């Protein structure tokens, strides 16, 4: 009877105590979150309840497993397994707590500076994301190293590994030159303020928004919801357009090819009316001028402004569509067309235009004019 009750009491008691402590801790965090709605810290800390309970259960079982007297021939293996679970859950909990603290700090900063300096907020967001990835990588490496050191064979090989660390570092640096360059480029992007998450960029002719930045790659979401993934070293070695750098305000252009008889003054008034009806126009400036001409058409350009890249696209398509529709309805002669009329007759010697053919279709012959006496 003792062989059944002892392990049941030890294991069941550890699990039950873990559940009770975890429930009590979660209850305290929920109450703290309700009392302090101005900060998301307590709500974010609740994300660590699973690794917290796993850590607590592994610690209780690791300390009381010997008293359970289960599998006495495998006590060392069971104890090492519980130690590995303890180290892994501790690393998991540390990452969750660090993420909660960093996210809370960023939320406070973004709430205080979102309207005054949105570019700075995006920069801080990029830096915070990369810092969290570095912290997670460091904690993961330390956790894996600690797990490996629990094995005696690894402890014996530790001295030789440390002795050869210099040579291995040189070999790894040569072999992973591309990876290391991308990693350093990621730090340069994060702290050099070259590109930030949420920036509107043009890369290789593709227009999109920076969606994710890691230590090795960067993802751009295009306007048609495609994702372009490229190494971060691209942004440190090749030119690209960043439309969100500095002020997000932009000036856009709209071109039309129209007939030479197009009513320019009426078009300027219509452009003003279209912009006033468009909520995407920021009201800063607009203009309409003739920028080029050909034997058949002339090129008319409109300049419009907006507060960011998304709105400038909306303003441009709105102006282009509205102006074409207005010209087709009110001034159809202004639209480009192919002329099929006969050429104007050539003037005669006396200055009067005469038809080139007689009424019956035969070529008309004109008598020679008498020479004028001097």
């Amino acid at each position: 009877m003792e062989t059944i009750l002892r392990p049941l009491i030890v294991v069941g008691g550890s699990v039950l105590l873990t559940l009770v402590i975890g429930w009590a801790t979660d209850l305290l965090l929920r109450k703290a979150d309700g009392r302090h709605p101005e900060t998301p810290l307590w709500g974010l800390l609740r994300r660590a309840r699973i690794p917290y309970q796993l850590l607590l259960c592994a610690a209780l079982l690791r300390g009381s497993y010997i008293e359970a007297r289960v599998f006495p021939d495998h006590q060392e293996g069971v104890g090492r397994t519980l130690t590995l679970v303890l180290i892994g859950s501790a690393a998991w909990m540390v990452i969750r707590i660090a993420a909660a603290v960093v996210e809370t700090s960023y939320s406070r900063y973004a709430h205080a500076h979102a309207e005054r300096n949105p570019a700075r907020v995006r920069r801080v967001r990029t830096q915070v994301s990369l810092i969290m990835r570095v912290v997670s990588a460091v904690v993961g490496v330390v956790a894996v190293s600690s797990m490996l050191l629990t094995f005696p064979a690894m402890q014996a090989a530790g001295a030789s590994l440390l002795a050869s660390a210099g040579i291995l570092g040189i070999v790894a640096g040569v072999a992973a030159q591309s990876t290391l360059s991308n990693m350093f480029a990621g730090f340069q992007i994060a702290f050099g303020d070259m590109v930030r998450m949420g920036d509107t960029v043009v890369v290789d002719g593709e227009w999109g928004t920076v969606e994710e930045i890691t230590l090795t790659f960067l993802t751009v979401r295009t306007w048609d919801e495609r994702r372009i993934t490229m190494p971060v070293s691209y942004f440190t070695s090749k030119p690209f357009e960043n439309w969100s750098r500095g002020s997000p305000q932009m000036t856009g252009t709209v071109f039309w090819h129209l007939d030479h008889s197009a009513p320019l003054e009426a078009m300027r008034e219509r452009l003003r009316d279209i912009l006033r009806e468009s909520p995407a126009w920021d009201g800063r400036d607009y203009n309409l001028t003739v920028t080029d001409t050909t034997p058949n058409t002339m090129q008319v350009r409109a300049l419009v402004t907006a507060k960011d890249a998304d709105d400038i696209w909306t303003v441009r398509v709105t102006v282009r569509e509205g102006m074409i529709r207005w010209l087709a309805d009110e001034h159809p002669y202004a639209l480009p067309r192919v002329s099929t009329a006969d050429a104007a007759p050539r003037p005669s010697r006396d200055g009067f235009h005469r038809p080139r053919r007689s009424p019956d279709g035969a070529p008309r012959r004109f008598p020679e004019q008498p020479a004028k006496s001097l």
Side-chain angles (χ1 to χ4, degrees):
M1 190 67 178
E2 183 180 359
T3 57
I4 298 177
L5 289 178
R6 182 182 292 272
L8 185 61
I9 293 175
V10 173
V11 177
S14 299
V15 174
L16 181 61
L17 186 59
T18 299
L19 295 176
V20 172
I21 296 177
W23 174 81
T25 304
D26 186 64
L27 180 62
L28 293 176
L29 290 176
R30 281 185 294 175
K31 290 184 177 180
D33 188 28
R35 293 176 180 176
H36 302 281
E38 72 280 359
T39 175
L41 176 61
W42 307 109
L44 294 174
L45 285 177
R46 293 187 60 204
R47 298 179 182 178
R49 60 182 181 274
I50 295 179
Y52 170 71
Q53 293 179 357
L54 187 61
L55 172 65
L56 186 60
C57 184
L60 292 176
L61 291 176
R62 186 67 181 85
S64 61
Y65 172 73
I66 299 177
E67 301 297 331
R69 299 178 184 177
V70 181
F71 304 117
D73 298 334
H74 302 281
Q75 288 186 356
E76 184 177 356
V78 174
R80 183 172 291 117
T81 302
L82 292 174
T83 302
L84 295 177
V85 174
L86 183 65
I87 296 174
S89 58
W92 188 8
M93 188 179 68
V94 168
I95 293 175
R96 287 293 180 86
I97 294 176
V101 174
V102 171
E103 185 68 22
T104 301
S105 302
Y106 168 74
S107 299
R108 291 179 177 176
Y109 183 87
H111 182 72
H113 300 82
E115 296 183 357
R116 291 184 298 174
N117 195 352
R120 177 63 180 174
V121 172
R122 291 197 301 270
R123 178 182 179 183
V124 173
R125 179 185 175 188
T126 303
Q127 295 174 352
V128 165
S129 300
L130 292 179
I131 289 175
M132 273 306 308
R133 294 181 185 274
V134 172
V135 171
S136 300
V138 171
V139 173
V141 170
V142 172
V144 172
S145 302
S146 302
M147 291 179 180
L148 293 177
L149 290 178
T150 58
F151 297 92
M154 292 297 176
Q155 294 178 358
S160 59
L161 288 175
L162 291 176
S164 60
I167 299 177
L168 291 177
I170 296 175
V171 174
V174 174
Q177 183 177 2
S178 177
T179 302
L180 291 176
S181 63
N182 282 330
M183 184 175 298
F184 286 115
F187 282 108
Q188 185 176 354
I189 287 177
F191 296 97
D193 198 22
M194 299 174 58
V195 62
R196 300 154 300 208
M197 295 177 64
D199 282 3
T200 301
V201 296
V202 178
V203 182
D204 285 342
E206 295 285 350
W207 175 85
T209 304
V210 178
E211 187 176 52
E212 183 181 8
I213 299 177
T214 68
L215 291 176
T216 56
F217 67 89
L218 186 146
T219 302
V220 177
R221 177 174 56 85
T222 61
W223 64 272
D224 54 356
E225 297 186 355
R226 291 180 292 117
R227 267 67 176 179
I228 301 177
T229 302
M230 56 186 62
V232 293
S233 58
Y234 176 93
F235 291 86
T236 59
S237 60
K238 296 182 180 180
F240 65 95
E241 296 183 26
N242 189 344
W243 292 1
S244 302
R245 177 92 175 169
S247 174
Q249 296 176 344
M250 296 196 66
T251 300
T253 59
V254 182
F255 290 94
W256 299 278
H257 291 274
L258 304 175
D259 189 81
H260 294 95
S261 60
L264 297 179
E265 291 300 329
M267 289 180 63
R268 292 186 178 97
E269 295 179 0
R270 181 56 184 168
L271 175 63
R272 179 193 59 195
D273 296 338
I274 294 174
L275 291 176
R276 287 178 177 177
E277 296 173 359
S278 175
W281 183 52
D282 62 356
R284 285 191 295 125
D285 193 14
Y286 73 94
N287 191 10
L288 189 142
T289 55
V290 178
T291 56
D292 197 5
T293 182
T294 66
N296 298 322
T297 62
M298 63 178 178
Q299 186 183 66
V300 180
R301 184 194 67 184
L303 293 180
V304 293
T305 59
K307 64 181 180 64
D308 55 28
D310 292 335
D311 282 353
I312 198 64
W313 171 263
T314 303
V315 173
R316 290 176 64 194
V317 297
T318 301
V319 169
R320 184 181 296 111
E321 179 181 350
M323 188 66 71
I324 290 294
R325 183 183 296 112
W326 177 77
L327 288 174
D329 294 340
E330 303 294 335
H331 303 277
Y333 62 88
L335 298 177
R337 59 190 183 275
V338 178
S339 178
T340 59
D342 293 336
R346 183 177 57 187
S348 61
R349 295 182 181 180
D350 58 359
F352 295 97
H353 291 281
R354 293 189 178 91
R356 294 180 178 272
R357 293 180 179 269
S358 60
D360 59 355
R364 180 183 292 273
R365 299 181 179 275
F366 300 98
E368 295 293 336
Q369 299 292 330
K372 296 182 179 179
S373 60
L374 298 177

